[in-house]
Amino acid sequence: MITGLNHITLAVSDLEHSLHFYTQVLGLAGHVKWDSGAYLSAGDLWLCLSCDEPGPGTDYTHIAFDVAQADFDACCARLEAFEVPQWKVNKSEGPSVYILDPDGHKLEIHVGGLQRRLAALVEKPYSGLVWL
């Protein structure tokens, strides 16, 4: 049985540019890099950047990273200073900013976790919501 998320691999067109974005702009920890890739982490999340031809989709699929409430405004100011493009305006519970990485991968910087989202659904359920 599945016990958790092991890692996420993203195809990147320019390893150095992506390394700069993920380590210097978003603040992930860098561990190793090689000719065609790199390993980074954010808390327990293992992120692999792999040189390839990125093909970001046009759907809602995205990766969301945690940020503390106290750090959210500074994080948004940093993203604005680096002119990181946004792909969506937040309409969900809790502070979020939806951004694009250098290859157009959709990312979200979000305050709060699953329990906070579930509590919000008690107050304002989605259309057709069924508790499992």
Side-chain angles (χ1 to χ4, degrees), residues 50-66:
S50 182
C51 292
D52 198 355
E53 186 175 327
T58 58
D59 62 14
Y60 187 64
T61 301
H62 64 279
I63 299 169
F65 293 101
D66 284 325

Side-chain angles (χ1 to χ4, degrees), residues 7-16 18-19 22 32-40 46-55 101 103 105:
H7 70 278
I8 296 170
T9 298
L10 293 175
V12 299
S13 61
D14 181 327
L15 183 59
E16 292 302 321
S18 291
L19 268 173
Y22 282 96
V32 296
K33 73 173 185 169
W34 59 96
D35 291 344
S36 62
Y39 291 151
L40 313 172
W46 166 20
L47 180 67
C48 174
L49 304 178
S50 182
C51 292
D52 198 355
E53 186 175 327
D101 83 352
D103 288 297
H105 295 293

Side-chain angles (χ1 to χ4, degrees), residues 6-123:
N6 186 276
H7 70 278
I8 296 170
T9 298
L10 293 175
V12 299
S13 61
D14 181 327
L15 183 59
E16 292 302 321
H17 190 67
S18 291
L19 268 173
H20 178 267
F21 177 80
Y22 282 96
T23 61
Q24 302 304 309
V25 178
L26 296 187
L28 274 68
H31 297 283
V32 296
K33 73 173 185 169
W34 59 96
D35 291 344
S36 62
Y39 291 151
L40 313 172
S41 66
D44 291 333
L45 172 68
W46 166 20
L47 180 67
C48 174
L49 304 178
S50 182
C51 292
D52 198 355
E53 186 175 327
T58 58
D59 62 14
Y60 187 64
T61 301
H62 64 279
I63 299 169
F65 293 101
D66 284 325
V67 66
Q69 176 72 56
D71 297 330
F72 184 74
D73 290 340
C75 179
C76 289
R78 182 174 183 83
L79 295 171
E80 187 174 316
F82 277 97
E83 299 179 353
V84 176
Q86 294 188 26
W87 62 276
K88 179 183 185 298
V89 174
N90 183 35
K91 295 180 183 169
S92 65
E93 161 278 324
S96 283
V97 61
Y98 295 84
I99 60 173
L100 297 174
D101 83 352
D103 288 297
H105 295 293
K106 295 175 184 173
L107 308 175
E108 176 184 2
I109 310 298
H110 181 72
V111 174
L114 177 60
Q115 293 308 315
R116 182 172 172 176
R117 178 62 52 91
L118 294 175
L121 290 176
V122 170
E123 300 297 319

